Amino acid sequence: MHNPLTTPIKRVVIAGGGTAGWLAAALMKKVLNSAVEITLVESEAIGTVGVGEATIPPIRLVNQVLGIDEAQFLHDTKATIKLAIRFENWKTKGQSYYHTFGAPGKSMAFCHFHHYWLKGKSLGHTADLWEYDFNYHAAEAGKFAQINAKDPVLELPFAYHFDATLYAKYLRKLSENMGVSRIEGKIAHVERYQDSGYIKSLRLDNGQEIEGDLFVDCTGFKGLLIGEALGAGYDDWSHLLPCDSAIAVPSERHEKTAPFTRSIAHDAGWQWRIPLQHRNGNGHVYCSRYISDQQAQDTLMENLDTKPLGDPKLIKFTTGRRRKQWYKNVVAVGLSSGFLEPLESTSIHLIQSAIVRLIQLFPHNGFTPSLQAEYNKQSELEFEQIRDFLVLHYQVNERSDSAVFLMICAILNCQIH
Ligand SMILES: Cc1cc2nc3c(=O)[nH]c(=O)nc-3n(C[C@H](O)[C@H](O)[C@H](O)COP(=O)(O)OP(=O)(O)OC[C@H]3O[C@@H](n4cnc5c(N)ncnc54)[C@H](O)[C@@H]3O)c2cc1C
């Protein structure tokens, strides 16, 4: 009889080798070390989603924990520095604003700087809030330097843009060097214990059987283990964030590498532009209720600022989250755990925090329900906070000419009143 409450967890099997799979492998091996044996199975024939190139500053903590040499990392992943996101045409057409990683001005205990700024404004002071933000000035000037100042006001907090495929490769090399085993093959069948319903093993299409105690589902949107095998359910949030499609295409490197991501609002969604060392990443996220895939592609291609380097790729998604992110002996990490449009580059961060949470609550001696409940509670809160932040982008604008913006505002207004 399989008793999950008393079975020690020694064998971790990671299904999928995109950013989620390899980041899970590297961090878990680094921190849990010999307490677990880690095997990752991935299929080159299936491949990865191939997008996900802009990050937020906590990614630097991952690099620190993994002992990564920053110069080598920047070189190997063709990365650039990111100080902010520039939102263009969001508030009104022709206008832009930044979300920087810095904080404007110097906050005092219990009182953030913007309160002083608002007070100053009421007294006739005319300076813009961003005049006090170093990241804003550096982004506008296209400059960056690593500053180690005692006063955080003088620092330039930053993250990276990197090539998603090179990033997964980089993490794979790191993980394999630490002792993670990799198996190439397509998972064809998921075997479960009859009594507990927990997953016993994964069978590949060549017949090979991979047994494990804990399975980390990193199989992307399909959620092969958490969704297809265990039926953990999915909360669909497309009534709040209705964009359901993206077209992505690489283009030639821009002659000037901007230290920020661009997010350009269009009529039925928005376009990203991510500068890398060897090319730009571009994509159009949109709501297919308002424009066809062809129209979305045309909008993207007409708005590239350099020559395209490949064929555009269409990606369909449903905004939302897996109802139980940890269910039985499966933890969903990455796209299998849910997806929120990449307006604030939060998906890789969600991967990072899911893995850190799993490490902190790791069920070494068996599947204690309280660990699982705590994990799911924290994940739920994190997804909801990011969802609400994204919705705000559409709500706080004056775009009466855009179908998507109007629809989200109407939905929110109905819910508020
Ligand atoms: C349009 C778009 C833009 C995005 N932009 C950003 C961004 O700027 N910043 C950000 O942080 N995130 C972004 N993301 C999210 C980001 O792409 C993902 O979080 C990240 O790439 C992780 O994906 P993944 O590893 O979960 O899935 P995938 O990359 O899809 O990997 C799935 C893995 O599972 C394997 N697999 C699947 N089925 C099987 C099987 N049957 N047998 C064996 N192996 C299998 C595949 O081979 C692959 O290795 C974006 C996502 C989208 C859709």
Side-chain angles (χ1 to χ4, degrees):
M1 193 178 135
H2 175 243
N3 185 352
L5 295 178
T6 54
T7 310
I9 310 303
K10 296 283 178 211
R11 300 166 302 170
V12 174
V13 176
I14 299 173
T19 298
W22 283 114
L23 195 52
L27 275 177
M28 290 175 81
K29 193 66 201 167
K30 181 76 185 182
V31 181
L32 299 173
N33 199 2
S34 57
V36 290
E37 181 188 290
I38 301 181
T39 306
L40 184 145
V41 54
E42 66 175 324
S43 161
E44 267 173 25
I46 295 174
T48 65
V49 69
V51 283
E53 309 199 312
T55 62
I56 58 175
I59 187 92
R60 295 177 55 221
L61 286 176
V62 170
N63 286 13
Q64 265 175 35
V65 169
L66 292 174
I68 286 173
D69 174 77
E70 189 172 60
Q72 192 65 45
F73 174 79
L74 290 167
H75 174 268
D76 290 359
T77 62
K78 304 273 187 220
T80 62
I81 298 295
K82 175 180 172 185
L83 295 170
I85 302 175
R86 187 163 84 187
F87 290 87
E88 300 172 23
N89 301 340
W90 275 83
K91 193 159 184 288
T92 52
K93 268 196 177 163
Q95 195 244 27
S96 68
Y97 64 90
Y98 285 82
H99 280 177
T100 73
F101 295 138
K106 190 175 176 83
S107 294
M108 301 296 163
F110 307 116
C111 189
H112 284 293
F113 175 77
H114 61 269
H115 295 294
Y116 295 97
W117 176 76
L118 280 171
K119 176 75 180 168
K121 215 175 156 198
S122 74
L123 296 173
H125 198 54
T126 53
D128 192 271
L129 181 67
W130 297 110
E131 295 292 320
Y132 301 93
D133 186 286
F134 262 23
N135 274 48
Y136 167 79
H137 287 291
E140 279 281 273
K143 297 202 163 144
F144 170 72
Q146 291 243 32
I147 302 170
N148 293 315
K150 282 210 179 100
D151 189 338
V153 160
L154 302 173
E155 282 179 357
L156 287 172
F158 66 97
Y160 309 110
H161 304 114
F162 48 58
D163 181 309
T165 308
L166 296 179
Y167 184 55
K169 257 193 201 161
Y170 185 93
L171 293 170
R172 172 180 165 185
K173 192 167 152 203
L174 205 68
S175 306
E176 289 187 309
N177 285 345
M178 286 190 284
V180 171
S181 315
R182 174 187 180 273
I183 297 176
E184 168 65 34
K186 191 172 166 201
I187 302 161
H189 176 73
V190 177
E191 186 69 30
R192 296 169 68 181
Y193 290 101
Q194 277 194 343
D195 45 4
S196 64
Y198 279 50
I199 292 181
K200 184 170 183 280
S201 62
L202 307 179
R203 190 173 319 129
L204 305 188
D205 57 359
N206 63 6
Q208 186 179 354
E209 197 91 13
I210 307 162
E211 289 204 348
D213 303 314
L214 172 75
F215 293 81
V216 186
D217 186 345
C218 300
T219 58
F221 284 124
K222 69 172 80 138
L224 199 61
L225 314 188
I226 194 91
E228 290 184 16
L230 296 188
Y234 194 82
D235 285 331
D236 181 338
W237 287 341
S238 48
H239 58 295
L240 292 171
L241 288 168
C243 287
D244 57 3
S245 312
I247 302 214
V249 71
S251 68
E252 279 178 0
R253 178 183 176 274
H254 200 269
E255 62 189 79
K256 240 183 141 196
T257 303
F260 53 84
T261 306
R262 284 175 69 191
S263 164
I264 307 150
H266 290 309
D267 290 344
W270 58 278
Q271 176 181 340
W272 79 76
R273 197 199 71 167
I274 296 175
L276 302 175
Q277 288 178 33
H278 57 317
R279 62 166 170 80
N280 284 340
N282 310 277
H284 183 189
V285 176
Y286 59 96
C287 177
S288 63
R289 226 179 295 172
Y290 297 110
I291 45 168
S292 67
D293 296 337
Q294 188 56 51
Q295 285 169 317
Q297 181 174 314
D298 294 344
T299 302
L300 176 64
M301 302 311 268
E302 281 158 20
N303 286 286
L304 293 182
D305 48 12
T306 51
K307 230 169 92 193
L309 287 175
D311 292 330
K313 179 179 171 185
L314 175 65
I315 303 165
K316 293 281 173 186
F317 55 82
T318 305
T319 311
R321 62 178 278 279
R322 194 67 62 185
R323 204 162 292 141
K324 285 184 192 158
Q325 312 238 335
W326 179 347
Y327 186 44
K328 296 189 185 284
N329 58 343
V330 175
V331 180
V333 176
L335 297 173
S336 67
S337 70
F339 182 63
L340 297 166
E341 61 183 76
L343 198 48
E344 285 284 348
S345 322
T346 42
S347 288
I348 296 172
H349 178 70
L350 280 170
I351 295 174
Q352 172 183 340
S353 64
I355 303 162
V356 170
R357 188 175 309 126
L358 178 58
I359 292 170
Q360 285 169 341
L361 299 170
F362 198 83
H364 291 281
N365 301 315
F367 289 100
T368 317
S370 57
L371 292 178
Q372 197 168 324
E374 179 59 25
Y375 182 96
N376 285 332
K377 196 172 77 186
Q378 289 184 22
S379 312
E380 187 179 343
L381 185 67
E382 194 173 35
F383 262 85
E384 285 178 357
Q385 283 173 337
I386 294 176
R387 176 199 65 192
D388 295 349
F389 181 39
L390 298 184
V391 168
L392 259 182
H393 291 66
Y394 291 94
Q395 171 73 356
V396 186
N397 72 78
E398 292 151 25
R399 289 288 305 269
S400 54
D401 56 325
S402 155
V404 169
F405 284 64
L406 281 176
M407 183 169 88
I408 296 180
C409 288
I411 292 165
L412 287 172
N413 288 336
C414 284
Q415 290 182 352
I416 291 165
H417 297 304

